[in-house]
Amino acid sequence: MEVDPSIAAEAEAAARRSEEAAEAFFRAAPPLRDRDRVAASVADFVARHSAGKWPPRSLTSPPCSHPSGSSDAGGPAGVICITSGGTTVPLEQRCVRYIDNFASGQRGAAATEYTHIPRPLVFACHRSACCLELSVAKCRYFVKAGYAVIFIHRRGSKQPYCRFLPEDSFLDLFELGEDSEIQVPQFHSAVVKAAISNYRKAIDEGLLLKLPFTTIFEYLQLLQMVATSMNCLGHRGMFFLAAAVSDFYVPWESMAKHKIESAVGPLNMQLNQVPKMLFILRKYWAPSAFCVSFKLETDPNILLQKAEMALKKYGMNVVVANELANYKDVVVMVTSSGRTTVSRSSKEEDLEEQLTELLVKMHSEHIRQPGSEDR
Amino acid sequence: MEVDPSIAAEAEAAARRSEEAAEAFFRAAPPLRDRDRVAASVADFVARHSAGKWPPRSLTSPPCSHPSGSSDAGGPAGVICITSGGTTVPLEQRCVRYIDNFASGQRGAAATEYTHIPRPLVFACHRSACCLELSVAKCRYFVKAGYAVIFIHRRGSKQPYCRFLPEDSFLDLFELGEDSEIQVPQFHSAVVKAAISNYRKAIDEGLLLKLPFTTIFEYLQLLQMVATSMNCLGHRGMFFLAAAVSDFYVPWESMAKHKIESAVGPLNMQLNQVPKMLFILRKYWAPSAFCVSFKLETDPNILLQKAEMALKKYGMNVVVANELANYKDVVVMVTSSGRTTVSRSSKEEDLEEQLTELLVKMHSEHIRQPGSEDR
């Protein structure tokens, strides 16, 4: 099918505007503190995990000789960049006031835990003709799915393995025994011990790299750094972009230097749009990666339509649509092949368990699709 | 001295405008969740501590018969309301975006710890003629100064007794022993144990009531509730208003209902001034209390002048002036009798130790001033 030349020209012009806006944003942003040290830790983390074996050996031998249910350890399934929490937009250069986005960081922290877990994963095999003759249930592989996670998170937001903690005082969880040894009251004990043990395991096995941000400037510089580093992973890289990223900002050079005076009546502000970096990520930073972004709205009437638009406009593999009123209970995964609703059946469950299971399965299929270097 | 009637009329009109603005603010604010339960806990806390003996018995007997250096237990020295952390201003009713104020909550959390400590306090005696014949150094009383603290704090901000914790993961402090008992690595052990022990003590002795807020609407309703409850304490009540309170807000009724659309170009916002509640607190809520407020600026050239203005305009007893660049190292206490600079000599010290010591001393004098019911 031929594309109307005027539409193609318009799309190209829009892409160029996005690129120019992104360049201008980074040029004017205050530089990331400790940039070199952070970049080295990211490069080291990616290099360590790019050596992970993928696909596991069983996938490269004739599939149907393997009974379903066999397991294969392999290396970590891949590297996932999870972003979490809201970015801030400073209103003053010596920042006292800023615009913030609601985001507890719950989604990203939970996803980190569930992608860390090595568990049998089920996915359909598209490679062998023999599959056509077998029931889908039989033609599956079981592989381990422990991902190495780069967790780009807002300072002070929810952290993996301690999401259950009381919001304002961890000291409420502890007491001192008679010999002043630290004790955890019985009814908390199992959950605290599991948290310490799981967290230690993730750290000791080198499966977690935590990178904190506060402002939109820090966040986008970190995302750029991580994405360009992960580009070498090709299809094995995955992005789970759950951070609530500011849509509007005050460019650094046009920002008030000092605290805005409060005594002079109402305050008028004009904010610019933040360049749409998902587009840049997909086009330049990590074109082969599996990209999952999130769309949060308060109005259910426009949510799915906006998610569909983001899917096409930014070339995402999945857009997870969620509403502020019930984002913990239900989400809709929007892909080019349709919509899948994921919901939890009780308040005790984490929706992220199912969500990450489905996404990891889709990522496995992405790795094995035509054109993948790991196919 | 006679006051120019036109100036007096103008001051009265300004006061009336403040009152009307405050009334309008509270009328339109979304009501505090759990208001009745919170109000009951505040009333109970204040009632328990209003029975504390003040002044300690030694102060009511002839002072000079007491050698300096004697101590007197008494009840808690008083009740202090400490506010801490920044308030947010929602930009949408179903809030995704909000304006926030920079404030870690470090100042208020540290002040809570230092005002809790029962310690000998030194203050000059103004009651007995005999004092005139003695050196000031000899005519002093030593009393215990453990305050009961109502800690109105921003959710997620620094908390008393665990300010030293790693910002994003308390789990880094712990490990599991061989029998999966919880252990603290040696080099952290003393500080973690002290934290648990001091925190437990404050809670067990009923000396700490924690009230969390996020928005400006929650904060001001809590402050009103606490201040009017503490009014019965008269001069014995103290306010340490370290919270970073928004100067501008969007009135609830004129706020966008849904998330503001990002696709339609730059965003223009007009924000109203938040009514100056310090004036209302001093005039109506707790007129006899000892009030300490804070002035934070980024421009040192206007800081002290603005602190002086706040002292007069709102009738504060002390305004603590601090600059964003060095607020942990130095502050200036501005009072009607002059300025006192308080600074720390090393990064290991908490400025709040000296600051609270000076303030508690001034509060003692406030209690004993002409007109005080506890004189």
Side-chain angles (χ1 to χ4, degrees):
Chain A
M1 195 183 84
E2 261 184 44
V3 178
D4 180 336
S6 70
I7 293 179
E10 172 50 33
E12 206 173 294
R16 218 170 27 246
R17 281 196 301 277
S18 283
E19 287 158 30
E20 283 165 9
E23 269 170 34
F25 179 92
F26 284 119
R27 215 170 28 237
L32 204 56
R33 212 188 299 174
D34 263 350
R35 187 183 175 89
D36 293 345
R37 190 189 53 74
V38 178
S41 71
V42 171
D44 176 63
F45 190 86
V46 172
R48 252 186 302 131
H49 295 293
S50 65
K53 297 176 214 135
W54 185 275
R57 202 171 300 180
S58 61
L59 287 190
T60 56
S61 51
C64 297
S65 59
H66 287 260
S68 74
S70 75
S71 82
D72 187 313
V79 178
I80 184 169
C81 168
I82 295 181
T83 71
S84 188
T87 64
T88 70
V89 167
L91 300 178
E92 300 137 330
Q93 284 194 5
R94 300 185 189 176
C95 180
V96 174
R97 301 191 185 90
Y98 53 93
I99 298 185
D100 206 342
N101 269 22
F102 163 80
S104 66
Q106 164 74 21
R107 182 86 84 209
T112 299
E113 295 175 25
Y114 288 113
T115 45
H116 265 155
I117 297 173
R119 59 180 162 194
L121 268 180
V122 181
F123 60 91
C125 162
H126 303 296
R127 300 192 67 189
S128 167
C130 67
C131 290
L132 298 172
E133 292 157 31
L134 292 167
S135 74
V136 173
K138 280 192 184 154
C139 188
R140 284 173 165 178
Y141 291 99
F142 288 78
V143 295
K144 298 277 188 182
Y147 275 70
V149 182
I150 301 180
F151 184 61
I152 304 185
H153 65 278
R154 167 68 178 275
R155 286 187 182 84
S157 65
K158 294 271 183 200
Q159 295 294 299
Y161 304 111
C162 49
R163 293 177 290 133
F164 61 86
L165 288 180
E167 198 171 38
D168 279 323
S169 185
F170 98 105
L171 291 175
D172 283 318
L173 283 180
F174 297 96
E175 56 195 23
L176 291 184
E178 281 183 8
D179 300 322
S180 69
E181 75 283 9
I182 294 169
Q183 291 180 337
V184 178
Q186 195 59 40
F187 62 100
H188 277 137
S189 177
V191 78
V192 172
K193 284 180 180 176
I196 295 175
S197 148
N198 290 331
Y199 178 71
R200 275 277 137 241
K201 193 161 173 289
I203 294 291
D204 294 346
E205 292 178 359
L207 288 175
L208 181 59
L209 177 65
K210 302 211 280 183
L211 302 176
F213 66 84
T214 303
T215 67
I216 180 77
F217 302 110
E218 290 172 328
Y219 172 76
L220 287 177
Q221 289 181 80
L222 283 173
L223 184 61
Q224 180 188 37
M225 176 192 288
V226 169
T228 50
S229 275
M230 281 175 60
N231 193 25
C232 69
L233 300 168
H235 284 59
R236 281 188 57 215
M238 177 167 169
F239 290 83
F240 182 98
L241 302 163
V245 183
S246 316
D247 291 309
F248 301 101
Y249 80 118
V250 184
W252 193 254
E253 66 273 28
S254 68
M255 206 180 282
K257 191 174 161 199
H258 286 295
K259 192 178 168 193
I260 299 164
E261 290 278 335
S262 69
V264 288
L267 175 66
N268 286 296
M269 285 195 304
Q270 181 170 358
L271 294 105
N272 289 9
Q273 279 188 277
V274 172
K276 299 297 181 190
M277 295 291 180
L278 290 184
F279 173 81
I280 307 290
L281 186 152
R282 166 54 81 215
K283 189 162 180 202
Y284 297 105
W285 299 345
S288 307
F290 186 73
C291 289
V292 182
S293 73
F294 285 74
K295 192 74 187 163
L296 178 79
E297 292 292 338
T298 58
D299 183 353
N301 299 320
I302 59 168
L303 176 61
L304 287 173
Q305 177 198 344
K306 294 195 82 171
E308 298 276 5
M309 216 160 68
L311 188 79
K312 283 180 204 138
K313 201 164 161 191
Y314 310 129
M316 296 290 101
N317 298 87
V318 183
V319 175
V320 181
N322 46 178
E323 254 182 83
L324 187 63
N326 60 7
Y327 70 100
K328 287 186 180 174
D329 302 319
V330 60
V331 299
V332 179
M333 290 168 54
V334 177
T335 68
S336 57
S337 42
R339 296 172 180 178
T340 309
T341 299
V342 182
S343 59
R344 61 176 183 180
S345 50
S346 83
K347 297 276 177 209
E348 284 67 50
E349 269 176 38
D350 286 325
L351 179 78
E352 292 77 14
E353 184 166 9
Q354 277 184 71
L355 179 64
T356 53
E357 190 161 339
L358 287 167
L359 290 174
V360 165
K361 185 177 154 191
M362 291 169 75
H363 182 209
S364 310
E365 286 165 1
H366 172 79
I367 292 171
R368 299 170 44 74
Q369 78 184 9
S372 165
E373 63 286 1
D374 284 319
R375 202 177 166 223
Chain B
M1 198 181 82
E2 261 184 48
V3 178
D4 179 336
S6 71
I7 293 179
E10 171 50 32
E12 207 172 293
R16 217 170 28 247
R17 280 196 301 276
S18 284
E19 287 157 30
E20 283 165 9
E23 270 170 35
F25 179 92
F26 284 119
R27 215 169 29 237
L32 205 56
R33 212 189 299 174
D34 262 348
R35 186 182 177 90
D36 293 346
R37 190 190 53 75
V38 178
S41 71
V42 171
D44 176 62
F45 189 87
V46 171
R48 254 187 299 131
H49 295 293
S50 66
K53 296 174 212 137
W54 186 274
R57 200 172 300 179
S58 61
L59 288 189
T60 56
S61 50
C64 298
S65 60
H66 287 261
S68 75
S70 74
S71 82
D72 187 311
V79 178
I80 184 168
C81 168
I82 294 182
T83 71
S84 189
T87 64
T88 70
V89 167
L91 299 179
E92 299 139 330
Q93 284 193 7
R94 301 187 189 175
C95 180
V96 174
R97 301 191 184 91
Y98 52 93
I99 299 184
D100 205 342
N101 270 20
F102 163 81
S104 65
Q106 164 73 21
R107 181 87 83 212
T112 299
E113 296 175 25
Y114 288 113
T115 45
H116 265 154
I117 298 172
R119 62 181 160 195
L121 270 179
V122 181
F123 61 90
C125 163
H126 304 295
R127 299 192 69 190
S128 165
C130 67
C131 290
L132 300 172
E133 294 159 31
L134 291 167
S135 75
V136 173
K138 279 190 184 155
C139 188
R140 286 172 165 177
Y141 292 100
F142 289 76
V143 294
K144 298 277 188 183
Y147 275 72
V149 182
I150 301 179
F151 185 60
I152 304 184
H153 65 279
R154 166 72 177 271
R155 285 186 183 88
S157 65
K158 294 268 182 201
Q159 295 294 299
Y161 304 111
C162 49
R163 293 178 287 133
F164 61 86
L165 288 180
E167 197 171 42
D168 280 321
S169 182
F170 98 104
L171 291 176
D172 283 317
L173 283 180
F174 297 96
E175 56 195 24
L176 291 184
E178 281 182 9
D179 301 323
S180 72
E181 76 282 11
I182 293 168
Q183 291 181 336
V184 179
Q186 195 59 41
F187 63 99
H188 278 136
S189 176
V191 78
V192 172
K193 285 181 178 175
I196 296 175
S197 147
N198 289 332
Y199 177 71
R200 276 276 138 241
K201 193 162 175 287
I203 295 293
D204 294 347
E205 291 178 0
L207 288 175
L208 180 60
L209 178 65
K210 301 211 279 182
L211 303 176
F213 67 84
T214 303
T215 68
I216 181 79
F217 303 110
E218 291 172 327
Y219 172 77
L220 287 176
Q221 288 180 81
L222 283 172
L223 184 61
Q224 179 188 39
M225 176 193 288
V226 170
T228 50
S229 274
M230 281 175 61
N231 193 25
C232 69
L233 299 168
H235 285 59
R236 279 187 61 216
M238 177 167 168
F239 290 84
F240 182 98
L241 303 163
V245 183
S246 316
D247 292 309
F248 301 101
Y249 80 118
V250 184
W252 193 254
E253 66 274 26
S254 68
M255 206 180 282
K257 191 174 163 203
H258 286 295
K259 191 178 169 194
I260 299 164
E261 291 278 335
S262 69
V264 289
L267 175 67
N268 287 295
M269 287 195 304
Q270 181 169 1
L271 294 106
N272 288 9
Q273 280 187 278
V274 173
K276 300 296 181 192
M277 294 292 180
L278 291 184
F279 173 82
I280 307 290
L281 185 152
R282 166 55 82 214
K283 190 162 180 202
Y284 297 105
W285 298 345
S288 308
F290 186 73
C291 289
V292 182
S293 73
F294 285 75
K295 192 76 187 161
L296 177 78
E297 291 293 338
T298 58
D299 183 353
N301 299 320
I302 59 168
L303 175 62
L304 288 172
Q305 178 199 344
K306 292 195 83 170
E308 298 276 4
M309 216 159 69
L311 188 80
K312 285 179 202 139
K313 200 162 162 192
Y314 310 128
M316 295 292 101
N317 298 87
V318 183
V319 176
V320 180
N322 47 177
E323 252 182 83
L324 187 62
N326 60 9
Y327 70 99
K328 287 186 179 176
D329 302 318
V330 60
V331 298
V332 179
M333 291 169 54
V334 177
T335 69
S336 59
S337 42
R339 297 173 180 176
T340 310
T341 300
V342 182
S343 59
R344 62 175 181 179
S345 50
S346 83
K347 298 275 177 209
E348 284 67 50
E349 270 175 38
D350 286 325
L351 179 79
E352 292 77 14
E353 184 165 10
Q354 277 184 71
L355 179 64
T356 52
E357 189 160 341
L358 287 167
L359 291 173
V360 166
K361 185 177 155 191
M362 291 168 75
H363 183 209
S364 309
E365 287 164 1
H366 173 79
I367 292 169
R368 298 168 47 71
Q369 80 185 8
S372 165
E373 62 285 2
D374 285 318
R375 198 177 168 224

